[in-house]
């Protein structure tokens, strides 16, 4: 995160825990939640030292109350930061995000606040967890897997993907530099010629 800010990246979204990760063995889920809890406790002091705004995206209802409180505290302590925005996706799923956005729009339509024929891409984008942020230019997929894994499905319509055969714990600034170099070799046409 600090390296990304140093090289001028304004928005970074990391996938910490997916909606599908609940299907893992319970002891593994518990270990991940304890790691998250420890990370949040340790990082609260670090969050205040950096000029990085921290946001959490996902469905937080199934998370333990103390984890939700730590997340809210991190967001509160960094809300005034003007540097990079760090999104941490916890209990996140791209399909779930789209469903939640559509449900919010449907509720507004049922209440007469909006007309169904007034729903367009811009309005739907405004109901995504990342509302107000630009869509990602680059999505990195470490681990050697070649799938999106339900990550930022709406936002990634025109993102460039770089798939890397490196496990996340081993991912280094050099790997990031390599991915950015690959990105700069791409010809981004956004559906045009």
């Amino acid at each position: 995160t600090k390296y990304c800010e140093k090289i001028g990246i304004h928005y970074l979204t990391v996938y910490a825990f997916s909606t599908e990760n609940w299907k893992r063995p319970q002891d593994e889920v518990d270990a991940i939640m304890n790691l998250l809890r420890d990370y949040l406790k340790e990082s609260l002091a670090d969050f205040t030292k950096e000029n990085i705004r921290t946001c959490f995206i996902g469905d937080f209802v199934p998370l333990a109350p103390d984890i939700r409180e730590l997340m809210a505290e991190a967001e509160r302590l960094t809300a005034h930061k003007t540097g990079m925005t760090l999104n941490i996706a916890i209990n996140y799923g791209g399909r779930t995000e789209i469903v939640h956005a559509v449900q919010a729009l449907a509720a507004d339509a049922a209440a007469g606040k909006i007309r169904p024929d007034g729903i367009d891409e811009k309005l739907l984008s405004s109901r995504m967890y990342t509302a107000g942020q630009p869509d990602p230019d680059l999505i990195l997929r470490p681990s050697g897997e070649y799938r999106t894994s339900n990550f930022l499905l709406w936002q990634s319509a025109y993102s460039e993907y770089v798939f890397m055969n490196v496990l996340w714990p081993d991912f280094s600034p050099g790997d990031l530099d390599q991915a950015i170099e690959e990105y700069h070799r791409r010809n981004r046409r956004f559906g045009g010629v």
Side-chain angles (χ1 to χ4, degrees):
T1 301
K2 291 176 186 177
Y3 183 71
C4 287
E5 183 190 31
K6 178 181 172 185
I7 64 173
I9 293 173
H10 298 289
Y11 293 89
L12 173 66
T13 302
V14 296
Y15 213 164
F17 190 82
S18 76
T19 52
E20 292 77 26
N21 287 152
W22 295 107
K23 299 174 190 170
R24 293 178 178 215
Q26 189 60 48
D27 59 334
E28 188 176 336
V29 170
D30 292 343
I32 292 169
M33 288 297 140
N34 285 330
L35 280 173
L36 174 62
R37 189 176 279 113
D38 292 343
Y39 167 79
L40 289 168
K41 287 175 184 175
E42 292 170 14
S43 297
L44 279 174
D46 207 27
F47 287 151
T48 60
K49 295 176 190 168
E50 304 297 328
N51 191 22
I52 299 171
R53 182 171 66 112
T54 304
C55 301
F56 295 91
I57 63 172
D59 178 7
F60 311 136
V61 173
L63 299 174
D66 67 311
I67 291 176
R68 291 195 312 262
E69 289 171 20
L70 289 166
M71 291 164 50
E73 179 73 359
E75 286 186 335
R76 186 187 66 74
L77 290 173
T78 63
H80 66 283
K81 303 292 182 165
T82 58
M84 185 178 79
T85 297
L86 169 65
N87 295 312
I88 302 174
I90 299 178
N91 195 38
Y92 173 86
R95 289 180 172 182
T96 300
E97 177 182 25
I98 292 168
V99 167
H100 286 175
V102 170
Q103 288 172 337
L105 290 173
D108 283 352
K113 296 177 183 177
I114 60 172
R115 293 176 41 95
D117 60 359
I119 297 172
D120 58 11
E121 288 183 23
K122 185 177 178 181
L123 190 57
L124 187 54
S125 289
S126 75
R127 301 306 173 93
M128 294 293 164
Y129 299 146
T130 57
Q133 298 180 19
D135 290 340
D137 294 312
L138 171 63
I139 295 183
L140 304 179
R141 176 57 160 126
S143 82
E145 300 291 346
Y146 293 92
R147 61 177 173 265
T148 61
S149 294
N150 201 16
F151 184 65
L152 298 178
L153 297 178
W154 177 263
Q155 299 89 332
S156 67
Y158 288 102
S159 300
E160 296 292 326
Y161 277 86
V162 173
F163 297 92
M164 303 184 83
N165 193 17
V166 59
L167 296 177
W168 178 245
D170 301 323
F171 195 85
S172 70
D175 294 313
L176 179 59
D177 290 339
Q178 181 183 345
I180 292 171
E181 287 174 22
E182 170 65 27
Y183 168 79
H184 284 298
R185 289 192 290 270
R186 306 276 176 93
N187 180 13
R188 301 189 75 203
R189 297 182 306 274
F190 300 95
V193 177

